[in-house]
Amino acid sequence: MKKISNNIFLMMLIFGTLVTISSNSWLGAWMGLEINLLSFIPLMNDNKKNLLTSESSLKYFLTQAFASSILLFAIIMLMFFYNNNLILYNTFNEILILSTLLLKSGAAPFHFWFPEVMEGLSWINGLILMTWQKIAPLMLISYNFIYNFFMITIILSMLIGSLGGLNQTSIRKLMAFSSINHLGWMLLAMMNNEMLWMIYFLLYSLLSFSIVLMFNNFKLFYFNQIFNLSMMNPIIKLLIFLNLLSLGGLPPFLGFLPKWLVIQNLVMMDQMFILTISVCLTLITLYFYLRLSYSIFMLNYQKNSWLLKNNFNNKLSFISLIFNFISISGLVMMSMIYIII
């Protein structure tokens, strides 16, 4: 029965996002966001024994409901003063709507709820929050654009995303801060090109799916659990960290491709200032991935290998390995195909 209800809520979650994307008015978009929110909360609460999931779902509900109420207020103002439900006329309304959408997507400086909510979720729910839940707000953000406001948000998202992950011991929080940093890159891609941020988002979702499947398969939530992985299988540990480096955007992995496209676009548009800042701040995220992988390869906790159960034999693991292969060698394969053609 529980599985049936979860499937229904998942379908409603997808439906809510599709309503927002296909809506031709702000009120319709708001309705889609509400359907999306109310169907995600029961999915978050799937583990009744864990108090952290209840806390996370409550935090998520309060922040999203707050954002929704301000968004509705801005839409009503738009309809009341301008008798319009589609086009934004004044800057105040634009900033109000943009702020609520950035709060919904978890971009800085409205990111405060995101790492805390991620900490209490299971890996699959965390993956939905990092990927699917960002589609609707980002699509609405791409409709209205304020250059200076965007610049501040992009720089803050990259700064907080990179510095926030430096001192973490929880993998879920690290992934949350990584997501904030990637969100900054998506907004940067959105500034010049409508299609570019969608490509970035698709590749980011693929990489996140690949690494979250690994973490979920081995029930990894904290760094000290990864130290013990080497007693089981060093190859799996290597796969996890090649994935992390791919997510950080290190060449020659697939994660470098979306950043490469954005950098190329910014060079063509002659926006060197924001390009330099974003590359420097992304190097910090790459630093904490490298530091983590270096320490975990070099240091080992002693633990009897017979205490650890090998979960890497089921069908999910096979899917995970396919995604790992795409994540690690995708860019090289694409280059080879391009050379051959």
Side-chain angles (χ1 to χ4, degrees):
M1 191 67 194
K2 189 181 173 185
K3 200 170 183 183
I4 295 166
S5 65
N6 274 9
N7 287 341
I8 292 165
F9 285 127
L10 196 62
M11 282 166 66
M12 288 303 289
L13 182 87
I14 295 163
F15 174 70
T17 302
L18 294 177
V19 166
T20 301
I21 292 168
S22 56
S23 174
N24 64 349
S25 72
W26 284 106
L27 201 62
W30 174 82
M31 279 168 59
L33 288 168
E34 286 308 289
I35 294 165
N36 181 275
L37 163 65
L38 293 172
S39 52
F40 187 48
I41 286 160
L43 289 173
M44 292 171 92
N45 257 329
D46 58 351
N47 189 357
K48 295 285 188 290
K49 289 174 186 173
N50 190 352
L51 288 173
L52 272 175
T53 54
S54 305
E55 187 188 327
S56 284
S57 60
L58 191 63
K59 280 177 184 171
Y60 183 75
F61 172 73
L62 289 171
T63 48
Q64 297 293 314
F66 173 67
S68 294
S69 59
I70 297 172
L71 181 61
L72 185 61
F73 170 70
I75 293 163
I76 290 165
M77 271 178 64
L78 192 68
M79 293 167 80
F80 187 74
F81 289 112
Y82 301 105
N83 195 20
N84 191 310
N85 195 13
L86 193 63
I87 303 158
L88 295 172
Y89 285 103
N90 69 339
T91 314
F92 175 71
N93 251 41
E94 274 191 82
I95 288 175
L96 207 57
I97 287 175
L98 262 178
S99 302
T100 56
L101 294 171
L102 289 167
L103 176 58
K104 276 189 169 291
S105 60
F110 312 103
H111 68 286
F112 54 89
W113 59 274
F114 191 52
E116 298 300 320
V117 169
M118 272 291 290
E119 184 61 25
L121 296 181
S122 68
W123 272 120
I124 302 302
N125 286 334
L127 179 67
I128 294 169
L129 186 62
M130 285 191 296
T131 55
W132 186 264
Q133 293 298 88
K134 284 185 168 46
I135 296 173
L138 282 171
M139 194 62 82
L140 293 177
I141 287 166
S142 68
Y143 295 156
N144 55 328
F145 181 84
I146 306 170
Y147 184 81
N148 293 337
F149 188 71
F150 254 60
M151 282 297 232
I152 295 161
T153 307
I154 288 161
I155 292 166
L156 278 174
S157 291
M158 288 183 180
L159 186 69
I160 288 160
S162 54
L163 296 179
L166 278 175
N167 204 22
Q168 294 302 327
T169 54
S170 164
I171 302 171
R172 281 175 293 194
K173 276 194 176 175
L174 185 90
M175 290 297 285
F177 281 111
S178 169
S179 185
I180 293 165
N181 183 274
H182 281 285
L183 201 56
W185 276 91
M186 280 177 228
L187 294 172
L188 190 59
M190 201 184 282
M191 273 172 59
N192 299 322
N193 196 317
E194 184 69 34
M195 202 65 205
L196 195 57
W197 78 266
M198 294 183 195
I199 296 164
Y200 194 108
F201 179 82
L202 278 170
L203 288 167
Y204 166 69
S205 301
L206 180 79
L207 298 172
S208 295
F209 183 72
S210 157
I211 200 157
V212 164
L213 266 183
M214 294 283 279
F215 289 146
N216 185 54
N217 209 29
F218 295 105
K219 301 288 177 279
L220 299 174
F221 298 104
Y222 296 94
F223 290 162
N224 56 356
Q225 291 173 288
I226 306 176
F227 281 102
N228 301 326
L229 259 184
S230 68
M231 304 302 284
M232 184 171 60
N233 197 339
I235 295 166
I236 292 162
K237 197 191 238 186
L238 182 69
L239 280 175
I240 286 173
F241 289 104
L242 288 177
N243 258 307
L244 269 176
L245 295 179
S246 179
L247 193 65
L250 188 77
F253 305 119
L254 187 64
F256 176 61
L257 179 63
K259 286 189 170 65
W260 186 10
L261 293 171
V262 176
I263 290 166
Q264 189 183 10
N265 188 263
L266 288 170
V267 168
M268 282 165 66
M269 294 292 177
D270 203 29
Q271 294 179 338
M272 293 302 170
F273 171 70
I274 189 75
L275 173 60
T276 310
I277 289 173
S278 51
V279 169
C280 290
L281 290 174
T282 306
L283 282 172
I284 302 170
T285 59
L286 204 54
Y287 162 73
F288 64 70
Y289 288 141
L290 277 168
R291 189 185 63 172
L292 172 64
S293 43
Y294 180 82
S295 61
I296 284 164
F297 276 118
M298 296 301 166
L299 306 171
N300 272 336
Y301 288 172
Q302 290 303 311
K303 194 167 183 179
N304 293 331
S305 56
W306 46 267
L307 287 174
L308 288 161
K309 186 184 171 190
N310 192 343
N311 300 328
F312 214 72
N313 296 321
N314 53 23
K315 195 185 283 184
L316 194 67
S317 306
F318 181 67
I319 296 163
S320 178
L321 282 171
I322 292 167
F323 276 98
N324 276 307
F325 175 73
I326 294 166
S327 169
I328 293 161
S329 59
L331 186 60
V332 178
M333 298 285 283
M334 284 164 71
S335 305
M336 285 169 71
I337 292 162
Y338 184 74
I339 290 162
I340 292 161
I341 292 168

